[in-house]
Amino acid sequence: MTTTIVLQQAINGIVLGSLYVLVALGLTLIYGVLVQINFAHADFVTLGAFAAYFFMHLVGLGYIPSIAVALIVGAAMGWLINASIFTPLRRKNNELLPLIATIGVSVMMQNLMLAWFGPIPYAFETEFSRHVIRFAGIFVSWQNVIIIVVSALTIALLYVFMKFTFLGKALRAVSQDRETAGLMGINPNFLIMLTFVIASALAGMGGAMLAPVLVLTPFAGTSVIVKAFAIVIIGGFGNVEGTILAGLIVGLIESYTTQFLNPGLIDIVVFALLLLMLAIRPTGLISERREENV
Amino acid sequence: MSALLEIAGLELAYGQVAVCRNISLRLDRGEIVALIGANGAGKSTTLRAIAGLLSPRRGTIAFGGRDVTALPSYERSKLGIALVPEGRRVFPFLTVRENLELGGFNSRKDPSTLKRRMERVFAMFPRLSERSSQNAGTLSGGEQQMLALGRAMMSEPQLLCLDEPSLGLAPIIVHDIFQTIRAINAAGTSILLVEQNARHAFETAQRGYVLQTGSVIASGSCATLKRDPRVQEAYLGRTATRR
Amino acid sequence: MTRTLRTLCTSVAAIGLLTIGAVAQAQDKTIKIGALFPMSGPGSYFGTQDKQGVELALEQINQTGVNGYKFAVHYEDSACSPLPATQAAKRLIEQFKPDVIIGEECSDATLAVMPIVEQAKVPLLNAGSSSIKITQPGNPWTFRIMPNEVMQGINLAENAYRRMNARRAVLLFENTNAGIGNAQVFKENFTRLGGKVLAEIGFGRDVNDFTAIATRVAGLGEVDVIPTYTLEGQGLKITQALAQAGVTKGGGGNAIQIGTIWLPFGFEQKAGKAALGYIRIVQFDPTDARPVARNFVSAFKAKYNTEPTHLNAHAYDQIMLIADVVKRGGKDPETIREGLAATKNYSGVTGSVEFDKNNQNVKMDTIHYMETKPDMSWVSLKWN
Amino acid sequence: MSATADGAAGEPLLRTQELQKNFGGVKAVSEISFDVPMGAIFAVIGPNGAGKSTLINLISGVYRPDAGSLSFDGVDLSTMPAHLRVRFGIARTFQKIRLFRQLTALDNVIAGFHVHHKIPAWQYLVHGAAFTADRRRCRDQAMQLLEFVGMSGRAHVPAGSLSYGEQRMLELARALATKPRLLLIDEPAAGLNAAEVDGLLDRIRSLRHGGTTVILVEHNMDLVMNVADRIMVMEYGRRLFEGTPAEVQKNPAVIAAYLGGELL
Amino acid sequence: MSETVFAQQWLGKATSSRARFLGYLTAVAVIVTLPLVFNDTYWRTNLTVCAINVLLAIGLDFILGYAGQLNLGHSAFYGLGAYVSTLLIVKLAVPFWLAFVAGVAFAGLAGTFLSLFAVRLRGHYLAIASLGFAVIVHQILLNWISLTQGPLGIYGIAPPPALVVDGTVIADFRNLTAFFYLVAGFALLSFLLLSQLVRSPVGETLTAIREDEVSAASLGINAAAWKVFAFGVGSAIAGAAGCFYASFVGTLVPDAFFITEAFNILAMVIVGGMGTLIGPVFGAVLLTILPEVLRGLGDLRLVVYGAALTFVVLFIPGGMAQAANAVGERLWRRRSA
């Protein structure tokens, strides 16, 4: 009985963790390349969820195509916020200003969505939500299977992109040394834009994947973003592998805290882990450290 | 011979602090030209301006007869300017092979050319081939310098700018590096060299420009420069003669 | 600089006063109703629906007026939070000078507003906050037409124990004033009767995935009832997760979810098969045969083209009760307060109203039990 | 003129033993031992990347040594944090200029008085007579220091807007504000023109007359040969040679390694 | 960054001590007259909220603008001040002013503790660590029900006891005007002390740390200790704001100290102009009044608020201090021309 529960909670945790990874990866990518935090990232998630909802309900092509639509909507938002906020502020070379600006954008987006979509939660039902696989006391809904599969595929695709394509390598180069990347013939501005688009596309897609899980209101993304920040730090800012690992860990913490402690304590446990991480390994789970040159 | 690089009246500054006041120089196709001077004279800054990392306050940079003053670094790279920056600046968390591939970013759509170039670089520096799947950050100083040089060569530039290639390297390695530099030049690449090691600079280059506090104070063939007292002064300070 | 700012503030304040004043003085004989609803943030879930009910009621009573009075409503965003609610209440009282105030939904906000209305001597009519503190001790200026957490909790616990023969319960509740309060009352009464509470699982409003909670409930062994105190959004997720985990009837288990009036009509349709067997208290029953309910439902559908919720109904009832008080002679804050206190057997959409000495509605016909059938329709359980 | 003879007799002001510092497997400084006598001007030369700046960073406390020890006036410095070393009388300038760019030149120097304020703590909140006196004293002394480095006319210019040479001089003035017994100067002549170098040379000499011991890292041989009592030559993190200027100039290994052989 | 520099120069240096004295006199006059000009309870409430927010903003500015530490968790200290003082009053019947001191001290100690822990962290790491701290504090307030009542809240918190001298009531804090004078007076005093502090060597020390810690260490500055000090002072001031909040609103629930509150305070500092003390004062006033003034816009009020915040950052990155500076400079130029 207990092993079943532990196993079941592991599955629950991994499902949730893979969703967090999708959201946190975007934050990490942006941080890696720009050393900036985008607070509006959460609202891209929400927007992606709504895009998927309305596409499903107005166009009626089913859930899977709606994920693609959410991805595109997220990408477009990423492009927009990069062009309107980060590009003009990059010249000011200040780490605070873009952060505050994105808080402003976040307030604006949330309330615009509130005006358009209203506060009453949308029931996001997909054709997979109600089908449950049961095996030896373990249950998984098809929706969750899709979440795991799509997340794993996305992460794999992203990995292939970063590892094996020229653009992906260029992107990593830009995050390590923007100036030298320029010497290679790489246009850093283009790649920063690309990073934003990819990160936001992930957020949008994350939204579509989260939509059946989330309580879908204009404030839905906010509930995820604080944890996403924790994941990004636990994984090490700008570190993709660390973020994936940390995302899964936080997902597991959430399910095991629920099982053995109390769901009210989830945030305390997650952020205690965060502070512990910062105390013992300030650069994250998988460390990349450089000496300061004086 | 025609001028590959022609710089006129360059004034460069970081923020409000002027570093170079009036730099004019010229480099012909096939030449190795050395820029020499004491620390802080503005040598590296001049190279950065040539590569497009710093836009000048005043003055022009022409490359292959075309005014490139306003072009960003990645556009200049496409025209055939490559810079091996001070401190090598390899991408530490990319493998050696990935570093090299990025060096050939401009030819990314032509895999066969890239393959040929990479083989050439590996032939030049067999050590790199042995370590091709290692992260560049784990290489020794000398190996990083080889990588930086190889990476620059991956674009088969017309002009290769080298910023202190001997910095912090053991003599044997420095020797090797300079041999390679000469070989690269012999194969047709023009080279602009900033070097603190006077012997190597003068042994390698045909002509030189001497910089002092941001201005060119002497120029000419290396043979004549070697004997010019102003060179010793600019390079090493007025020597102990005054005592 | 400072002087400019002060001038600026004064002029802005003046403009504000003028606009509000203009609305207020449009009619000579007007009963001014101030509405404190959460209209920003997640709490706007309540405000939006409240507003619909109010608008419908206004439309109806202003066609003819009552005793020659027309009704005007001014909304302020009280944001479901003490300080904003205080600010909103003061602004409302100062600038709109209402004869009566309706709202807030969240107990914290209502409790924060109560001293202010008492000081200003303006009656406050509440229909959405369940905390017992609002009417115990309460104050003479605050009235509540909804049954409080104690009334609901005792009733629910007794019915669960006696009629459903439940002995083992698991409490699921959001970590809010109302969630905790309701769960505690149930627990006290259920254990007093001899039942056993196997687990109390509270969770924040930011918890999304309830599979983990459902898994935990499933691991607790035999469970008879699961009293659940959440809003619609999380409620849907919980019901589906419990069914998935095979805990509740909807998922082939034996446990039955029970709950208070928080969930809107239509919840079962949204939740689907998972909601099978759900038994809950509703205050507003759209199948209610009384004419007042019938008229409300049809008028609401005509105006908004959607089924009304209990929030719509409560807001509607608040206005209609005020209209009734005006009919009985209420014309200013003091007389409206007296009128409210004197209410006897007023029949509203959500049931009848009669206040005790603490101004709590004591009519138990506001507590109906409904059970969800396999076709997702409701059947009334007539447990009162 | 040379203080070497007197200084060698007494206890050295600074003594380093077998100092070692690694960066990711590279030995930036290895097995460096030397003594700096009281009142001496001790120069460290060597090619770029030889480990000179790392040595300065070890002495000033920016880095902790991986092995070896260093003591100042008999006090062990090995584990002492940088800011405490200042209280013992060690000050420094930086190779890559690190001024407070947004503060004026004057305020940069005043910031250097940090360890020398002697006012009761409450007067930080209620500015009384002692506070005003201290302010005036700091201001006056700061102006004197600016005058010393020839910058009294630029006192109210933000440091970031000063010319390169001025910034170097301002760093020197700021370091002097801490009233050091040992001053570490890292490439002060880099980017200076000949006239400025002359001025620098005079200032270093007058510092020595004032009793300050100086460790000078420099490429400018003119400067080094003219002011230094002793010179240590470094290469690849190791000590290649140590001696008087005359000895250094004659040593063939030094000439080969640093000066580029045939050039001189 | 350069915009803030100009603002600092103009606002910080160009004022002589006489001008400052006149400034404080004006401030006192403004504080005294404000409740007389705005003579309804709604605006008097807003005035007090402004004064509370001014306290929060100058406290954060001291940490952020002067010591250069990106603190995203200011709401935690605000909440700790509120809860500690209130719990002492409610549970142990401690006299208000003693509880006030305890609340301030506890918040200050919490800030010191966080800072000691986070002293190695820089930039965004510190930002997220402080954010994490704020999340934890909020969650503890929410979950430790036996102590804090959690979401059930604490109600009917009394205002500070009336000020009585020789049997005559001088100030009864149930009166809004008196309460405003109390908080505004405290804010003015805090401002005065902070301003004295930043114009003393402490100001230079903190600026030096903000600009370059390595360089500061080379001047004997113990950056870690001073950063902890600044954090402690800033969070203690937030604690004071919390004590006032509790006794002013009379109701205490943990959600009042959710992390969005920290963002609001941060926005006040930025919009006002960080690194100047006077800027955040106006930033706090503006961002407290703006949402109230925008109430007329109904649903779109927060959209406009968000847009305004973004706009300020994009076009006036030095905040109101920069704008005032630009205007002042232009006027000065015109006069001298």
Side-chain angles (χ1 to χ4, degrees), chain C residues 1-2 5-6 9-10 12-13 40 76-77 82-83 87 90-91 94-95 108 111-112 133 175-177 180, chain E residues 30 33 38 40-43 45-46 143 145 151-152 155 245 249 251 253 282 285 292-293 295 301-302:
Chain C
M1 178 82 187
T2 328
L5 189 82
R6 199 173 56 203
C9 292
T10 326
V12 165
S40 60
E76 281 294 348
D77 177 13
L83 180 59
Q87 277 168 296
K90 283 177 178 166
R91 179 176 153 108
E94 292 293 339
Q95 304 193 343
D108 324 331
L111 285 161
K133 295 190 197 105
N175 269 340
T176 61
N177 195 323
I180 296 173
Chain E
V30 168
T33 44
F38 299 118
D40 60 26
T41 57
Y42 166 62
W43 277 103
T45 304
N46 288 338
N143 283 286
I145 295 176
L152 298 175
Y155 299 93
Y245 172 93
V249 182
T251 299
V253 288
F282 287 104
V285 172
E292 293 298 326
V293 171
R295 271 178 186 278
R301 135 178 119 110
L302 289 174

Side-chain angles (χ1 to χ4, degrees), chain C residues 106-314:
Chain C
C106 299
S107 295
D108 324 331
T110 306
L111 285 161
V113 164
M114 282 168 57
I116 296 165
V117 297
E118 185 181 19
Q119 207 183 3
K121 300 197 182 309
V122 180
L124 173 70
L125 184 57
N126 175 284
S129 307
S130 61
S131 172
I132 186 67
K133 295 190 197 105
I134 291 168
T135 45
Q136 265 179 12
N139 69 43
W141 294 87
T142 306
F143 296 81
R144 167 162 56 191
I145 54 176
M146 178 177 104
N148 61 42
E149 60 197 15
V150 174
M151 295 162 72
Q152 296 182 62
I154 295 175
N155 205 278
L156 201 57
E158 286 185 345
N159 282 320
Y161 190 86
R162 300 218 166 94
R163 298 192 201 250
M164 295 168 70
N165 281 321
R167 293 296 177 268
R168 289 168 299 253
V170 172
L171 294 167
L172 299 181
F173 54 92
E174 59 171 37
N175 269 340
T176 61
N177 195 323
I180 296 173
N182 276 290
Q184 288 312 311
V185 178
F186 181 90
K187 185 188 170 194
E188 276 162 31
N189 289 287
F190 191 64
T191 46
R192 180 176 48 80
L193 292 167
K196 197 171 172 225
V197 172
L198 301 179
E200 296 165 66
I201 306 177
F203 42 84
R205 275 193 180 162
D206 60 345
V207 166
N208 287 308
D209 182 26
F210 286 92
T211 324
I213 289 177
T215 305
R216 178 168 165 190
V217 176
L220 291 168
E222 279 297 307
V223 177
D224 302 320
V225 284
I226 307 177
T228 310
Y229 305 94
T230 62
L231 296 179
E232 180 184 354
Q234 287 188 319
L236 281 170
K237 304 291 166 192
I238 291 178
T239 300
Q240 287 170 347
L242 287 172
Q244 265 186 19
V247 175
T248 48
K249 269 192 180 169
N254 297 321
I256 294 171
Q257 268 189 288
I258 57 176
T260 50
I261 61 171
W262 295 16
L263 301 177
F265 174 72
F267 173 84
E268 285 73 14
Q269 280 70 32
K270 279 191 187 177
K273 284 261 177 285
L276 176 67
Y278 205 135
I279 294 177
R280 57 193 182 94
I281 300 175
V282 293
Q283 258 201 300
F284 162 62
D285 174 6
T287 62
D288 195 333
R290 289 175 303 139
V292 57
R294 293 261 55 79
N295 291 340
F296 167 70
V297 172
S298 59
F300 193 91
K301 276 187 183 161
K303 188 170 164 68
Y304 298 108
N305 197 25
T306 170
E307 293 281 349
T309 66
H310 64 294
L311 293 167
N312 300 138
H314 265 144

Side-chain angles (χ1 to χ4, degrees), chain D residues 97-233:
Chain D
I97 297 172
R98 301 187 79 136
L99 287 165
F100 308 125
R101 299 172 59 83
Q102 299 188 13
L103 296 184
T104 62
L106 183 65
D107 284 345
N108 265 278
V109 181
I110 290 177
F113 287 112
H114 179 78
V115 296
H116 295 291
H117 295 293
K118 286 185 183 61
I119 5 170
W122 61 269
Q123 289 222 348
Y124 284 116
L125 293 177
V126 183
H127 297 177
F131 178 89
T132 322
D134 180 73
R135 286 258 96 170
R136 191 169 302 129
R137 185 181 58 80
C138 286
R139 217 184 138 80
D140 292 347
Q141 289 183 358
M143 284 308 290
Q144 281 168 20
L145 283 171
L146 284 176
E147 206 164 307
F148 174 70
V149 296
M151 288 184 56
S152 43
R154 308 282 277 162
H156 299 291
V157 180
S161 319
L162 295 171
S163 81
Y164 202 70
E166 286 172 328
Q167 293 198 5
R168 287 242 172 256
M169 288 303 115
L170 180 56
E171 265 212 342
L172 186 63
R174 186 181 67 175
L176 288 173
T178 68
K179 301 175 186 164
R181 287 195 285 159
L182 173 65
L183 180 63
L184 313 168
I185 320 180
D186 200 349
E187 291 210 30
L192 303 194
N193 61 35
E196 288 170 328
V197 172
D198 280 345
L200 179 66
L201 198 143
D202 291 342
R203 276 171 204 127
I204 296 176
R205 278 183 177 152
S206 66
L207 278 179
R208 189 237 302 268
H209 284 303
T212 311
T213 309
V214 176
I215 295 181
L216 171 70
V217 166
E218 185 48 68
H219 281 285
N220 188 319
M221 288 304 120
D222 184 28
L223 187 66
V224 171
M225 297 299 167
N226 277 302
V227 300
D229 305 310
R230 285 190 79 73
I231 299 175
M232 177 168 77
V233 187

